[in-house]
Amino acid sequence: MTGLEIIKSISLPSPTKIVLLVLDGLGGLPDPETGKTELETAETPNLDRLAANGICGLIDPVGPGITPGSAPGHLALFGYDPVHFIIGRGALEAIGIGFELEPGDVAARGNFCTIDEKGLVTDRRAGRIPTEKCTELCHLLDGLVIDGVKLFVSPVREHRLVVIFRGVGLVPNIGDTDPQQLGVAPKPVTALGPEAERLAGVARQFIERAKSVLVEHHPANMVLLRGFSQRPHWPTMNEVYKLKPAAVAGYPMYRGLAKLIGMDVLETDSSIDSEIAVLKKNYINYDFFFLHVKQTDAAGEDGDFDRKVRGIEQVDRAVSELIDLEPDVIVVTGDHSTPALLKGHSWHPVPVLIYSKWCRPDTVNQFGESACIAGGLGRMPGSHIMPLALANALKLTKFGA
Amino acid sequence: MTGLEIIKSISLPSPTKIVLLVLDGLGGLPDPETGKTELETAETPNLDRLAANGICGLIDPVGPGITPGSAPGHLALFGYDPVHFIIGRGALEAIGIGFELEPGDVAARGNFCTIDEKGLVTDRRAGRIPTEKCTELCHLLDGLVIDGVKLFVSPVREHRLVVIFRGVGLVPNIGDTDPQQLGVAPKPVTALGPEAERLAGVARQFIERAKSVLVEHHPANMVLLRGFSQRPHWPTMNEVYKLKPAAVAGYPMYRGLAKLIGMDVLETDSSIDSEIAVLKKNYINYDFFFLHVKQTDAAGEDGDFDRKVRGIEQVDRAVSELIDLEPDVIVVTGDHSTPALLKGHSWHPVPVLIYSKWCRPDTVNQFGESACIAGGLGRMPGSHIMPLALANALKLTKFGA
């Protein structure tokens, strides 16, 4: 049995409530001057109170040394082992921009690129054209119907786009056209099995059409496609955990991921205050809430240590309202580390706290990376947090007799 | 290779001796007044001495958040990953009452239940009839021979019984008759494959016979069967570890489990003093001893914090005699937590200590949940303890060259 199958076999519905608060990119690295990370620098009386009365530790979302993308980082927190639950690149990109992939749709990740007069790729990113230009070019290509297949072409950011093919009989078993090197031509669209010929034919015609439309838009005079894939069909949180779950997240990627595993997605803007208000309003209707805070990651990606500190402090003030709701279990953690010093996601384990009546508190009384090393949870894979949250909410029965 | 295969490939016979002392349900939760668990409250000078000179940690018998039943909890301690070594419910129930399942026997877990005049189930537990009544009714049904198959019908507790079918050609691929809900008829006995038809026919006749015998014994006027299964065939501890192992356990469940993996089961009553006496008497004949103490779990299940404390203190006194025997390795732990505050098994990790000349001691000098967090073993799956015990007894050679 996999971990998820075990949990499914012992999960029970119950009226207790769990709140999972994810500060995106929470973990950090110490400022060389102070020796303190962003979280350790922030004034966090409410998080510290939860830590003091809860149990703390560190999680590896995917595994030690592995820097998670946003999708695997979150899947781990939802208890879906990200090494087994893998989304194709195209589908993930579509979900990331909030596109509602229907069953049967195939999505491909695209790049605008530059080709020379011989048709050889000279820049795989078309000079990183601005997002506005990308949007304009996508508009020129959007809405085609080829052999009865409808195409959606949507901008992502800079040179990145996503192409969705909607029609009957589409199988995404198609090779990438991105050659991943310069000085060669884009690869032709290749069906990797006869069942994919229909989609390959449509994709070929799309690329020809794009080439002729883009000819006058140098440096973005060609398009490369990769990661043809469909929306995965995974067991829902209700099927596995018997939960009625809701997501309170402002950004499309996280809303899309939450939908994939059957969460209701509630309307909110991306501020923590708005999210807490939405949580309160819907509190009686659900027994699991995923709250997502983006600002901490964005500040880390920008290398802005102080802004990340302020983001954490802002969340801390909102946490007092969360505590007042008295959920049975509160989990606070991140989907990965984003140290301002590294200006990007990193492999460092992420602090986590679980607060509940039944958590067997440890001696940690401050929520921070160093303090959490001594926590009662120890260091564990991120996918263990969800079973612990369910256990603390008394939603799991015995395994075996 | 699985964990067990790796250990099998490197295990060596040797004259060193290991004692595994299992205090059932050892782990607890802190008394809200004192902040101390049962184990932390108990006066345990001998266990503390072992902790101070040994290496400590916390184990998750099955996995974080998962509350183990007694069987998986013990299998983990014996090094058999409980997620892979699974016993059918009927076989486990038979083992639990000390019934000697022979190869080919099929066991089913049974409930006496109540049906109304239309044959619909109105109480799946027959009002939880007392064990004496259950025993009396089982006696009425015991000893039948149907189509050459001999049936043993034995009481378990209250409304619970176990039915063992002994004969040739019995395959346990049979659906449950327990409908798991009220207001419907018991399900008919169904063979889930043609190979199970013979057993299904016998089981059908048994249920008809039971119905006619029980008609005048309302509320226990019918029987439901589930979990048809056979004794599993697992590698023995001798095959895997090259050990000559003995179990010193007073309760049938633990004796039965020990037998399943090839331990000799020594006669003892269930007091720790009797167990230590049996250990001493047989000390030269074996190189591995599993000692099982039930009282700690029983007190926890009853919610009796103080009785659990006293149970631990009683064991501690006996431990001094154990130390005097100077085994090469002493392991003290539990198969799961049973906090008095929860009155049942729980998911909380269990303190463990390993004492040996070669253990690389840590700074822990008191055996308790909080202290063990800082132990040198960290927090680990329960099935890792057995390889560590073998290593400390110098019974494992190098892996790879």
Side-chain angles (χ1 to χ4, degrees):
Chain A
M1 288 205 280
T2 67
L4 220 50
E5 284 166 347
I6 292 171
I7 302 303
K8 183 175 180 178
S9 75
I10 58 175
S11 61
L12 295 171
S14 86
T16 54
K17 287 182 196 290
I18 299 171
V19 177
L20 168 65
L21 172 59
V22 178
L23 284 78
D24 204 303
L26 175 63
L29 280 172
D31 180 320
E33 304 240 323
T34 65
K36 288 183 176 180
T37 66
E38 299 90 323
L39 177 57
E40 289 164 353
T41 305
E43 291 281 330
T44 54
N46 293 303
L47 291 172
D48 293 347
R49 178 149 62 105
L50 291 179
N53 295 294
I55 183 166
C56 291
L58 290 166
I59 53 169
D60 291 290
V62 181
I66 298 177
T67 296
S70 295
H74 275 84
L75 287 172
L77 295 180
F78 302 149
Y80 291 63
D81 182 350
V83 170
H84 293 111
F85 291 89
I86 292 181
I87 315 179
R89 187 67 212 212
L92 185 60
E93 209 74 26
I95 290 164
I97 60 166
F99 188 93
E100 295 261 353
L101 278 183
E102 296 184 0
D105 286 0
V106 171
R109 155 83 192 268
N111 274 16
F112 287 112
C113 71
T114 312
I115 54 173
D116 63 17
E117 65 285 357
K118 291 180 194 146
L120 308 183
V121 177
T122 58
D123 184 342
R124 289 180 53 248
R125 296 183 185 87
R128 290 189 185 274
I129 51 169
T131 304
E132 299 69 37
K133 182 71 183 171
C134 179
T135 304
E136 178 196 325
L137 295 177
C138 285
H139 194 66
L140 296 177
L141 299 172
D142 189 33
L144 291 170
V145 178
I146 302 174
D147 291 352
V149 174
K150 183 162 188 198
L151 276 75
F152 304 85
V153 180
S154 298
V156 177
R157 208 171 58 179
E158 296 179 331
H159 56 285
R160 291 155 57 200
L161 67 149
V162 61
V163 182
I164 292 107
F165 302 81
R166 177 169 295 166
V168 293
L170 302 181
V171 177
N173 192 16
I174 302 255
D176 295 347
T177 76
D178 187 339
Q180 299 280 352
Q181 53 176 314
L182 301 183
V184 299
K187 295 186 187 176
V189 177
T190 314
L192 302 177
E195 72 284 1
E197 282 299 350
R198 173 163 159 72
L199 175 57
V202 173
R204 251 176 240 127
Q205 291 177 63
F206 167 71
I207 285 177
E208 280 312 305
R209 177 66 176 266
K211 194 173 173 183
S212 67
V213 168
L214 296 172
V215 70
E216 61 205 38
H217 291 278
H218 186 279
N221 62 358
M222 184 53 174
V223 67
L224 302 172
L225 298 180
R226 58 190 166 106
F228 287 83
S229 47
Q230 290 179 310
R231 184 203 140 120
H233 288 281
W234 292 336
T236 66
M237 290 182 95
N238 181 262
E239 286 164 359
V240 180
Y241 303 135
K242 322 287 190 302
L243 289 172
K244 188 155 187 260
V248 189
Y251 280 71
M253 159 70 99
Y254 311 97
R255 299 165 67 87
L257 266 181
K259 255 185 224 168
L260 267 187
I261 53 171
M263 289 193 225
D264 279 1
V265 173
L266 306 179
E267 278 310 309
T268 179
D269 70 36
S270 62
S271 75
I272 183 67
D273 294 329
S274 162
E275 291 186 357
I276 294 280
V278 170
L279 171 68
K280 281 185 182 172
K281 196 172 150 196
N282 291 275
Y283 193 67
I284 58 163
N285 299 325
Y286 298 93
D287 57 5
F288 177 89
F289 294 90
F290 154 52
L291 265 69
H292 180 261
V293 175
K294 182 70 181 171
Q295 293 89 312
T296 35
D297 178 59
E301 296 254 11
D302 290 345
D304 193 334
F305 192 100
D306 293 340
R307 200 172 100 226
K308 189 170 166 191
V309 170
R310 290 195 302 275
I312 294 167
E313 290 177 339
Q314 193 184 355
V315 171
D316 184 79
R317 286 189 290 275
V319 161
S320 87
E321 287 191 72
L322 180 57
I323 295 173
D324 289 345
L325 285 171
E326 299 185 357
D328 298 274
V329 177
I330 300 175
V331 179
V332 184
T333 188
D335 56 336
H336 53 74
S337 293
T338 305
L341 270 72
L342 278 171
K343 295 188 180 182
H345 294 200
S346 79
W347 65 92
H348 302 89
V350 187
V352 59
L353 73 80
I354 299 178
Y355 168 82
S356 97
K357 187 177 172 187
W358 304 114
C359 69
R360 193 199 272 168
D362 52 28
T363 58
V364 178
N365 53 27
Q366 200 207 351
F367 192 45
E369 289 84 344
S370 292
C372 283
I373 293 174
L377 293 174
R379 179 170 176 164
M380 57 171 59
S383 58
H384 288 179
I385 293 303
M386 193 70 200
L388 282 166
L390 292 164
N392 274 281
L394 305 181
K395 288 179 188 287
L396 298 179
T397 185
K398 247 191 303 201
F399 175 77
Chain B
M1 288 205 283
T2 66
L4 221 49
E5 284 165 348
I6 292 172
I7 302 304
K8 183 176 180 178
S9 74
I10 57 175
S11 61
L12 295 171
S14 87
T16 55
K17 288 182 195 289
I18 300 170
V19 177
L20 168 65
L21 172 58
V22 178
L23 284 78
D24 204 304
L26 175 63
L29 280 172
D31 180 319
E33 303 240 324
T34 66
K36 289 182 176 180
T37 67
E38 299 89 325
L39 177 57
E40 289 165 352
T41 305
E43 292 280 332
T44 54
N46 293 303
L47 291 172
D48 293 348
R49 179 149 60 105
L50 291 179
N53 296 293
I55 183 165
C56 291
L58 290 166
I59 54 169
D60 290 289
V62 181
I66 296 177
T67 296
S70 295
H74 275 83
L75 287 172
L77 296 179
F78 301 150
Y80 291 64
D81 182 350
V83 170
H84 294 110
F85 292 90
I86 291 180
I87 315 178
R89 186 71 210 212
L92 184 61
E93 208 75 26
I95 289 164
I97 60 166
F99 188 94
E100 296 262 354
L101 278 183
E102 295 184 1
D105 286 359
V106 172
R109 155 84 192 268
N111 274 17
F112 286 111
C113 71
T114 312
I115 54 173
D116 63 17
E117 65 284 357
K118 291 179 194 146
L120 308 182
V121 178
T122 58
D123 183 342
R124 288 180 53 247
R125 297 184 183 84
R128 290 190 185 274
I129 51 168
T131 304
E132 299 69 40
K133 182 71 184 172
C134 179
T135 305
E136 178 196 325
L137 296 176
C138 285
H139 195 67
L140 296 176
L141 300 171
D142 189 33
L144 292 169
V145 178
I146 301 174
D147 292 352
V149 174
K150 181 161 191 200
L151 276 74
F152 303 84
V153 180
S154 298
V156 178
R157 207 169 59 180
E158 296 179 332
H159 56 284
R160 291 156 57 199
L161 65 149
V162 60
V163 182
I164 293 106
F165 303 80
R166 177 169 295 165
V168 293
L170 302 181
V171 177
N173 192 16
I174 303 252
D176 296 346
T177 77
D178 187 339
Q180 299 280 352
Q181 54 176 312
L182 302 183
V184 299
K187 295 186 187 175
V189 177
T190 313
L192 301 177
E195 73 285 1
E197 282 298 351
R198 172 162 159 72
L199 175 57
V202 173
R204 252 175 238 127
Q205 291 178 61
F206 166 71
I207 286 177
E208 280 312 304
R209 177 67 177 268
K211 193 173 173 184
S212 67
V213 168
L214 296 172
V215 70
E216 63 205 39
H217 292 276
H218 186 280
N221 62 359
M222 184 54 173
V223 67
L224 302 172
L225 299 181
R226 60 190 166 105
F228 287 84
S229 46
Q230 290 179 311
R231 183 203 141 119
H233 288 282
W234 292 336
T236 66
M237 290 183 93
N238 182 262
E239 286 163 359
V240 180
Y241 303 134
K242 323 288 191 300
L243 289 172
K244 188 154 188 262
V248 189
Y251 280 70
M253 158 72 97
Y254 311 97
R255 299 166 66 88
L257 267 180
K259 256 185 223 168
L260 267 186
I261 53 169
M263 289 192 226
D264 279 0
V265 173
L266 306 179
E267 277 311 310
T268 179
D269 70 37
S270 62
S271 75
I272 183 67
D273 294 329
S274 161
E275 291 186 358
I276 294 281
V278 170
L279 171 67
K280 282 186 183 173
K281 197 172 150 195
N282 292 275
Y283 193 66
I284 58 163
N285 298 325
Y286 299 93
D287 57 4
F288 177 89
F289 294 89
F290 154 53
L291 264 69
H292 180 261
V293 175
K294 183 68 180 171
Q295 292 88 313
T296 36
D297 178 60
E301 294 254 12
D302 290 345
D304 193 333
F305 193 100
D306 295 340
R307 202 174 97 225
K308 188 170 166 191
V309 170
R310 290 195 303 275
I312 293 167
E313 291 177 338
Q314 194 184 354
V315 171
D316 185 79
R317 287 189 290 275
V319 161
S320 88
E321 288 191 72
L322 180 57
I323 296 172
D324 291 345
L325 286 171
E326 299 185 357
D328 298 273
V329 178
I330 300 174
V331 179
V332 184
T333 187
D335 55 336
H336 53 74
S337 293
T338 305
L341 269 73
L342 278 171
K343 295 188 180 181
H345 294 200
S346 80
W347 65 91
H348 300 89
V350 188
V352 59
L353 72 81
I354 299 178
Y355 168 83
S356 95
K357 188 177 171 185
W358 306 114
C359 69
R360 193 199 277 168
D362 52 28
T363 59
V364 178
N365 53 27
Q366 200 205 352
F367 192 46
E369 288 83 347
S370 291
C372 283
I373 292 173
L377 293 174
R379 179 170 177 166
M380 58 170 59
S383 58
H384 289 180
I385 293 304
M386 193 69 201
L388 283 167
L390 293 163
N392 274 282
L394 306 182
K395 288 177 188 288
L396 298 180
T397 186
K398 249 191 304 201
F399 176 77

